[in-house]
Amino acid sequence: MDGIIPWEYWASIIRPCYPSGKRGRPPKNIETMLRMYLMQNWFNLSDEGIEDAIYDSYAMRSFMRLDFLTEQVPDATTLLHFRHLIEENKIGEKIFDDVKSRLEKAGLMMHGGTIVDATIIAAPSSTKNRDGKRDPEMHQTKKGNQWYHGMKVHSGIDAGSGYVYSITGTATNVHDIEEAGKLLRKDDKVAYGDSGYSGIEKRNDIKNDEQFSKIEFRINRRPSSIKVPDSYKGINWDKEIESRKSSTRCKVEHPFLIVKRQSGDVRQSRTKPGILPGMSAPKWQDYPHSEGDLSEISTQKSVT
């Protein structure tokens, strides 16, 4: 990342909003703060956590390019103020647009096809905080038989490369299809989506737009709508077509996996460690254990 990121240009984006240092304590170097901020996001660390990690890790110290003989690692409060500066001035959006333009100039971003999807990012629903209430921007929604509280991330993915080129955020109670028009590109010919986007071509913002109305929407059907008699022994072509759509649409899940890992919103697999689908789980006796464990279990069995 040290050689890929255009540090000079990104620092120039932040400089107009950064303290000049004419009053008060001299500010830290912009590039130093930017490096610390990015590492915090990459490793999903708190303000205090990234500060301690830089002191402990030689690789992080090298990435920060700090000379401990002349300066120290920026403290957690300084990083907090820098993060708020990034959010308030929407610098993240400017950096995202710069990354997108560089991918297009390098020929890595294809055009003509888009994959749209959305995912839920959970947020604390407790009211045990200073204000005694939930975040007003967060809402709850029901998916399947489970309720979720938080926000929803909507993204448009380039169907050829799998790169994200558009993204929006809403509360969870906003339907996926309502944000679809903001994710499409004017030069798209084909768009993929799951069954939640059924009927998108009938929406006013799509059918009344000259470019969007010409897009071929390849939306997955609901599994319950694909019915074949048990007596039919041939190929289920409807299922084959839906499988082809899903094989293209699955690219959208990769960015969501990264986002949920960064936010710590990844569920543990119910499969036992070391067990692959189709394999039988080993018995307890096959795992390493001590003689004390065996004697304790044998005693419990005799008691029961």
Side-chain angles (χ1 to χ4, degrees), residues 285-304:
Q285 291 83 354
D286 297 331
Y287 289 101
H289 49 264
S290 63
E291 294 182 358
D293 296 333
L294 287 173
S295 60
E296 181 180 353
I297 290 177
S298 60
T299 303
Q300 293 176 354
K301 286 185 177 181
S302 61
V303 172
T304 55

Side-chain angles (χ1 to χ4, degrees), residues 16-37:
C17 311
Y18 203 67
S20 60
K22 295 181 180 179
R23 293 183 301 174
R25 186 176 61 176
K28 291 287 186 179
N29 182 271
I30 296 178
E31 184 175 328
T32 300
M33 296 304 305
L34 181 59
R35 288 173 179 268
M36 187 176 184
Y37 171 75

Side-chain angles (χ1 to χ4, degrees), residues 60-121:
M60 287 188 173
R61 290 200 303 270
S62 300
F63 182 79
M64 288 286 293
R65 296 184 176 180
L66 286 175
D67 183 4
F68 280 3
L69 297 177
T70 58
E71 59 181 329
Q72 295 181 339
V73 177
D75 57 27
T77 304
T78 304
L79 179 60
L80 173 66
H81 294 324
F82 182 79
R83 189 173 68 254
H84 288 171
L85 181 144
I86 294 289
E87 296 171 355
E88 292 171 0
N89 295 277
K90 298 183 178 181
I91 295 175
E93 296 180 11
K94 299 176 182 178
I95 292 177
F96 178 77
D97 292 338
D98 179 64
V99 172
K100 185 170 61 175
S101 63
R102 291 176 184 274
L103 290 173
E104 290 183 352
K105 290 178 180 178
L108 298 176
M109 185 78 75
M110 309 296 290
H111 286 268
T114 291
I115 309 170
V116 293
D117 203 357
T119 189
I120 296 173
I121 304 297

Side-chain angles (χ1 to χ4, degrees), residues 150-209:
M151 66 171 297
K152 187 178 289 186
V153 176
H154 309 260
S155 64
I157 311 293
D158 182 68
S161 61
Y163 288 120
V164 180
Y165 69 83
S166 61
I167 188 168
T168 62
T170 64
T172 52
N173 59 347
V174 177
H175 198 278
D176 300 359
I177 201 171
E178 295 185 19
E179 292 291 305
K182 301 177 183 178
L183 306 175
L184 299 172
R185 295 175 289 190
K186 293 296 183 180
D187 59 350
D188 282 334
K189 306 298 182 184
V190 180
Y192 295 85
D194 58 22
S195 57
Y197 295 90
S198 300
I200 185 175
E201 66 279 355
K202 300 177 183 178
R203 291 182 58 85
N204 292 330
D205 56 340
I206 300 297
K207 67 180 183 181
N208 295 334
D209 189 279

Side-chain angles (χ1 to χ4, degrees), residues 49-64:
I50 185 62
E51 181 184 358
D52 295 338
I54 293 172
Y55 280 114
D56 294 338
S57 171
Y58 174 76
M60 287 188 173
R61 290 200 303 270
S62 300
F63 182 79
M64 288 286 293

